[in-house]
């Protein structure tokens, strides 16, 4: 099936089997290998990408479902030469160990900050009407879909808090 995907601001024309996941299209058809295949069941978050600004598990989405959508991968957030504020914070706070989950963590955290800015409540938000406040509990709840087998959570939380603080100043 011929599809056209907009990834990191560039349009890519692909010929894929209609059963191809978005993750496999990224990794195997476009050589965008930042998003990782962890569990392949949507439970670990290593494959997290943003579609139209919202985070999704790309291992659970078919590529053909996202024609016309704006897809952002870790490669679209920044590069080693020009890192995003979240990427810089992860490096500065050692928010990774083996690094396998790090791209998904960074993409998810970037989208999470947008959700907070838009006032989306979470399960642990004190008030469903007022804008939620950044807290360790909010971060833990909102990042619960991204697992780190190395347990780099203290650095991950510190990086997210730092990036959020820099956005508000």
């Amino acid at each position: 099936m011929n599809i056209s995907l907009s990834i990191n601001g560039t349009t890519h024309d692909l010929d894929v089997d209609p059963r191809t996941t978005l993750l496999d299209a990224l990794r195997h058809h476009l050589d965008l290998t930042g998003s990782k295949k962890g569990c392949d069941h949507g439970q670990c978050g290593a494959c997290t990408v943003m579609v139209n600004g919202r985070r999704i598990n790309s291992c659970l989405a078919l590529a053909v479902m996202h024609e016309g959508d704006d897809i952002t991968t870790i490669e679209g957030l920044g590069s080693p030469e020009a890192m995003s504020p979240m990427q810089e914070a992860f490096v500065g706070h050692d928010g990774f160990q083996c690094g396998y989950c790090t791209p998904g963590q960074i993409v998810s955290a970037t989208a999470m900050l947008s959700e907070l800015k838009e006032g989306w409540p979470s399960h642990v938000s004190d008030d469903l009407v007022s804008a939620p406040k950044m807290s360790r509990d909010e971060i833990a709840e909102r990042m619960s879909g991204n697992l780190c087998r190395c347990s780099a959570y203290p650095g991950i939380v510190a990086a997210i808090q730092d990036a959020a603080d820099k956005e508000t100043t």
Side-chain angles (χ1 to χ4, degrees):
M1 180 171 202
N2 292 315
I3 62 171
S4 181
L5 297 176
S6 175
I7 302 165
N8 303 326
T10 302
T11 300
H12 300 273
D13 295 319
L14 300 173
D15 182 15
V16 297
D17 182 302
R19 299 168 294 182
T20 303
T21 65
L22 179 56
L23 176 62
D24 287 340
L26 294 170
R27 292 183 59 78
H28 302 299
H29 292 267
L30 297 171
D31 202 31
L32 293 170
T33 57
S35 303
K36 303 295 189 244
K37 186 176 279 200
C39 66
D40 212 21
H41 295 286
Q43 297 174 344
C44 73
C47 66
T48 304
V49 299
M50 288 187 284
V51 175
N52 300 326
R54 305 290 176 237
R55 54 190 164 158
I56 69 163
N57 292 321
S58 62
C59 72
L60 296 180
L62 297 176
V64 298
M65 296 168 53
H66 294 290
E67 191 162 25
D69 289 337
D70 181 28
I71 301 163
T72 304
T73 67
I74 188 70
E75 292 91 350
L77 291 181
S79 67
E81 300 79 30
M83 289 190 280
S84 74
M86 188 66 71
Q87 289 169 318
E88 287 178 352
F90 264 71
V91 171
H93 291 279
D94 199 24
F96 53 90
Q97 285 183 23
C98 80
Y100 195 82
C101 72
T102 306
Q105 297 274 3
I106 291 172
V107 171
S108 188
T110 300
M112 181 203 75
L113 292 184
S114 294
E115 293 167 7
L116 275 167
K117 276 190 214 170
E118 292 174 23
W120 291 19
S122 77
H123 179 70
V124 300
S125 297
D126 292 332
D127 183 351
L128 299 180
V129 178
S130 301
K133 294 178 177 66
M134 173 68 78
S135 68
R136 292 182 84 73
D137 287 343
E138 280 289 345
I139 293 171
E141 171 64 21
R142 292 170 186 270
M143 293 297 292
S144 64
N146 291 83
L147 304 178
C148 174
R149 293 181 70 182
C150 301
S151 295
Y153 297 115
I156 292 168
V157 171
I160 294 169
Q161 287 176 319
D162 185 35
D165 290 345
K166 287 180 180 170
E167 276 190 20
T168 58
T169 58

